[in-house]
Amino acid sequence: MHVSTTKSLYARWRTLPVGKVKLTGGFWFEKQAINRRVSLRHGYRMLVQSGNLNNLRLAVGAGEGAYRGPVFMDSDVYKWLEAASLDLANDRDPELEALVDEVIALVAAAQQPDGYINSYYQVNKKPEDRWTNLDHDHELYCAGHLFEAAVAHHRATGKRELLDVACRFADCIDGIFGPGKRDGAPGHPEIELALVELYRESGEQRYLNLAIFFIDARGKGRMRGYGRWGAAYHQDHVPVREALEVVGHAVRQLYLTAGVADAYLETGEQALMDALLRLWHDATARKMHLTGGYGARHEGEAFGHAYELPSDECYCETCAAIAAMMWNWRMLLATGDPRYADTLERSLYNGFLSGVSLDGQRYFYVNPLQSRGGIARPEWYGCACCPPNVMRQIALVGNYMATTDETGIQVHQYASATIEAAVGDERVVLQMDTRYPWEGHVRVTVAETRSGEWTLAFRVPGWCNHAALWLNGDIIAGGASDGNYVTLTRAWQPGDVVELDLEMHPRLTAPNPRVDAIRGSLAIERGPLVYCLEEEDQEAGVDLLDVRLLPDAELEAEWRDDLLGGVVTVSAEGYVADVQDWETALYRPVPVLETIARPVKLLAVPYYAWANRTPGTMRVWIPQARP
Ligand code: ZN
């Protein structure tokens, strides 16, 4: 998950090492503290309870009973290891590090002499069965998560043990697959991006070559697929360079594109970038939910047709939002185009963050934009890909804040944090303070600087219509500059203060009229946050099926310390439609004129915070009243 583009030849921007962005307060600091104190501990307990660690013990020859869970149980262990390792870079908690060391020792013990590790195959199958079901058995997928965990652990702690385990397994796989060896590609992409990262960490060119081999091996129509999709379920229906649209299982598609973007960052192959641009356009202009969630259908956990974006029966797997962020981050690093940071931010604050409860110990796999009631987050899943994925994303969130290049530092996301970066190999330290995402004011103090001129760049998010910039109290730039970076170049002095003001008002958003499911509806947004109506916050007797909004509705934002851990709510003047005539009919001949029963004040809360109280009804999209 942590990307290092410090040596990537085709990166426009360089990432910061793990631990160099330390959150110091506010929104993400609090999320990270809950992740550390609650989620990571809870995750460890769940790995014990669900049998993941016992499966590895069985592979060692110890353990109790039989293998439990789906074939990819090891990947949950690796994702947890990666999350905990990344968090050790934020705060080296000795108790957590002891758990990490214990699990790493178990993984190392489970590794076979030839480097192979997969508890499912080691416990349930014979050695000759390995690699016989690449479509569905997730051996390469689990390997990929091991590699990511190993890279994170090495970067965060400097310890090599897990990295050595990972390299031995990568060597084992490299001995089997490749040109002149065995052909084939994993049914679930993941190893591609992980091998590129393992290459970046180890310097071993064979790992990059193997990643590209797996990318090139797709698209031969060999995979059996699932349901009506056939090979497209696995993105095996067309070679990556010829792909025109995102299809099939959404997480597989988005992990694949993230891996292809990694390959581009190292090789600069234009055909890969051309394919990525086509796929990105298809994903974001036709198949993305307002929340930055992806996947329209439960069947096949899949993308639907263009503009098939139902609010209630959509899938929007938490892992798909995470995969999309991983892809957008790589696209941003490759191109410097702020629309990727905008898209990442949309998923981060909405379709991703709804995946975890405010208390950090319950999780959503599916993230609908409308609930008819009765939906609550369980504490774990039989297929538990999402919870540890949430943990690693929250542990890493600081790394999305900033990058560097030869000329200076670019700030992409806003949070109170200390940012330590090298500009031209010389140390610069920034202290950023903000109440983002609740307020659009950001204050950056240059704490340490190098000599000579360098440039500070700030992203003006696409949602912001007016941004202003001050230097040491003097206004530098003002005016409309949405969806871009504003820059300041000078010989900075310690104590220099830059203030950025991103105008943040509640706003109404309309969907593309081709989206049948939500045509004629409006959504409330404010800053990076998508809002929703929850039954619990509405006036007595208001059924969310009957509420309406006018496009010129007055919207009012209010900070509520007492609600959902502290949120800005948005209230809107709305209406309740008169549906009395409809009590006995489902259909009626036209013309039908809708009348309003009464005006009502609607209270919206951030979508990410829904389903943390009584599981009532919820909706993001609100039908427009007919004036
Ligand atoms: Zn998942």
Side-chain angles (χ1 to χ4, degrees):
M1 170 156 285
H2 180 255
V3 176
S4 173
T5 57
T6 49
K7 292 181 198 151
S8 301
L9 288 176
Y10 297 90
R12 168 80 179 77
W13 286 328
R14 291 195 294 263
T15 50
L16 302 182
V18 289
K20 294 300 181 187
V21 178
K22 287 253 188 329
L23 300 177
T24 53
F27 190 84
W28 288 112
F29 176 82
E30 287 162 22
K31 301 283 175 214
Q32 226 168 48
I34 291 170
N35 194 45
R36 179 176 313 126
R37 285 201 312 266
V38 180
S39 306
L40 286 165
R41 265 74 175 181
H42 170 77
Y44 177 83
R45 283 194 301 274
M46 290 296 119
L47 294 176
V48 173
Q49 249 179 55
S50 307
N52 306 67
L53 297 180
N54 190 58
N55 290 340
L56 283 161
R57 278 194 200 97
L58 289 170
V60 175
E64 290 166 4
Y67 180 95
R68 282 165 59 200
V71 292
F72 44 82
M73 288 288 272
D74 291 355
S75 66
D76 300 337
V77 176
Y78 302 144
K79 271 192 258 186
W80 179 87
L81 268 179
E82 184 183 352
S85 298
L86 290 169
D87 198 59
L88 291 176
N90 300 326
D91 179 0
R92 203 150 178 174
D93 177 329
E95 190 186 294
L96 189 60
E97 188 161 8
L99 291 179
V100 167
D101 289 343
E102 173 206 309
V103 176
I104 288 176
L106 176 60
V107 171
Q111 184 164 43
Q112 303 212 310
D114 64 354
Y116 183 88
I117 318 175
N118 185 289
S119 70
Y120 174 77
Y121 267 77
Q122 288 169 247
V123 175
N124 285 349
K125 305 267 188 173
K126 300 187 192 72
E128 58 269 30
D129 295 332
R130 293 177 186 176
W131 319 117
T132 53
N133 188 356
L134 295 183
D135 295 9
H136 294 287
D137 275 1
H138 291 72
E139 287 160 288
L140 293 169
Y141 168 87
C142 289
H145 279 299
L146 168 62
F147 302 165
E148 284 202 279
V151 168
H153 186 250
H154 185 240
R155 285 179 186 163
T157 66
K159 297 184 191 172
R160 283 201 62 93
E161 191 183 2
L162 194 61
L163 188 64
D164 291 339
V165 168
C167 289
R168 280 196 292 273
F169 195 15
D171 292 341
C172 164
I173 295 168
D174 186 51
I176 292 162
F177 293 93
K181 292 173 268 184
R182 188 166 161 181
D183 197 5
H188 198 314
E190 152 64 24
I191 196 170
E192 300 83 354
L193 68 91
L195 278 167
V196 176
E197 210 55 50
L198 193 62
Y199 154 73
R200 290 175 180 141
E201 190 64 4
S202 67
E204 178 51 74
Q205 178 75 31
R206 285 183 294 116
Y207 303 155
L208 175 62
N209 297 346
L210 187 58
I212 294 167
F213 169 82
F214 283 134
I215 289 170
D216 291 344
R218 297 196 97 73
K220 296 178 183 167
R222 291 178 290 196
M223 296 187 196
R224 292 191 294 277
Y226 175 88
R228 72 180 85 166
W229 284 269
Y233 171 81
H234 296 286
Q235 299 80 40
D236 188 44
H237 59 304
V238 62
V240 165
R241 290 169 187 77
E242 296 164 28
L244 298 176
E245 54 174 344
V246 292
V247 292
H249 188 277
V251 176
R252 292 172 204 245
Q253 173 72 78
L254 295 168
Y255 276 180
L256 175 62
T257 51
V260 172
D262 271 320
Y264 171 82
L265 281 161
E266 302 308 319
T267 65
E269 189 193 328
Q270 193 56 41
L272 293 180
M273 180 50 81
D274 291 344
L276 288 169
L277 292 171
R278 285 194 302 272
L279 295 173
W280 191 85
H281 176 75
D282 183 54
T284 57
R286 302 187 192 108
K287 294 171 184 170
M288 179 182 75
H289 291 265
L290 184 69
T291 52
Y294 299 81
R297 299 182 189 172
H298 282 242
E299 187 193 8
E301 309 183 301
F303 284 106
H305 292 292
Y307 310 111
E308 180 189 343
L309 295 164
S311 284
D312 47 1
E313 291 300 322
C314 61
Y315 205 61
C316 292
E317 181 178 342
T318 305
C319 287
I322 292 169
M325 287 193 279
M326 292 166 70
W327 180 21
N328 277 287
W329 179 237
R330 287 156 174 79
M331 295 297 278
L332 179 70
L333 295 171
T335 65
D337 186 334
R339 64 190 171 148
Y340 300 116
D342 282 344
T343 311
L344 187 159
E345 183 176 55
R346 180 169 290 286
S347 298
L348 179 64
Y349 282 97
N350 304 291
F352 157 68
L353 195 53
S354 58
V356 59
S357 63
L358 297 176
D359 67 8
Q361 50 191 344
R362 288 170 292 133
Y363 299 86
F364 269 149
Y365 194 119
V366 174
N367 294 273
L369 282 73
Q370 179 176 7
S371 166
R372 299 175 196 278
I375 298 180
R377 294 176 186 82
E379 63 173 13
W380 207 247
Y381 288 86
C383 169
C385 51
C386 299
N389 221 354
V390 169
M391 293 172 205
R392 64 181 189 144
Q393 185 60 76
I394 290 180
L396 187 68
V397 72
N399 274 80
Y400 288 156
M401 301 295 157
T403 55
T404 62
D405 66 4
E406 308 72 43
T407 67
I409 301 176
Q410 303 82 39
V411 183
H412 308 289
Q413 304 291 343
Y414 300 106
S416 292
T418 305
I419 299 169
E420 193 187 323
V423 177
D425 295 331
E426 286 183 81
R427 188 177 139 98
V428 170
V429 179
L430 305 176
Q431 176 60 43
M432 179 155 65
D433 294 291
T434 179
R435 277 187 37 82
Y436 202 85
W438 309 122
E439 292 172 15
H441 185 261
V442 181
R443 178 188 168 94
V444 173
T445 307
V446 178
E448 284 182 43
T449 181
R450 49 164 267 183
S451 56
E453 287 195 342
W454 56 274
T455 300
L456 246 179
F458 298 96
R459 182 177 66 97
V460 178
W463 52 259
C464 179
N465 291 323
H466 188 276
L469 195 65
W470 284 268
L471 173 62
N472 297 327
D474 297 325
I475 192 150
I476 298 291
S481 48
D482 58 309
N484 220 324
Y485 288 85
V486 289
T487 60
L488 265 178
T489 303
R490 62 188 253 116
W492 296 92
Q493 304 296 323
D496 279 344
V497 174
V498 181
E499 285 166 284
L500 174 70
D501 229 334
L502 304 168
E503 204 174 79
M504 191 185 278
H505 299 300
R507 61 189 188 274
L508 290 177
T509 302
N512 184 311
R514 289 175 163 182
V515 186
D516 280 314
I518 50 175
R519 183 182 303 116
S521 294
L522 300 169
I524 298 168
E525 295 184 273
R526 181 176 181 272
L529 297 173
V530 173
Y531 278 71
C532 69
L533 301 177
E534 279 200 289
E535 185 179 358
E536 185 153 345
D537 298 311
Q538 312 312 318
E539 294 174 11
V542 171
D543 188 327
L544 287 186
L545 289 176
D546 303 332
V547 297
R548 305 286 185 267
L549 263 186
L550 283 172
D552 60 355
E554 222 164 274
L555 305 173
E556 204 177 316
E558 186 191 359
W559 170 253
R560 289 276 304 273
D561 213 21
D562 58 324
L563 194 63
L564 298 166
V567 292
V568 169
T569 60
V570 176
S571 57
E573 291 173 0
Y575 301 93
V576 177
D578 183 352
V579 292
Q580 273 191 6
D581 292 351
W582 289 98
E583 290 301 333
T584 55
L586 199 50
Y587 309 100
R588 284 163 60 193
V590 293
V592 176
L593 294 176
E594 184 170 280
T595 56
I596 294 302
R598 62 188 167 99
V600 67
K601 191 149 205 162
L602 301 171
L603 187 73
V605 297
Y607 169 77
Y608 78 79
W610 87 279
N612 278 283
R613 297 170 289 177
T614 317
T617 59
M618 179 279 288
R619 71 185 309 152
V620 169
W621 291 104
I622 306 162
Q624 280 190 58
R626 295 190 200 142

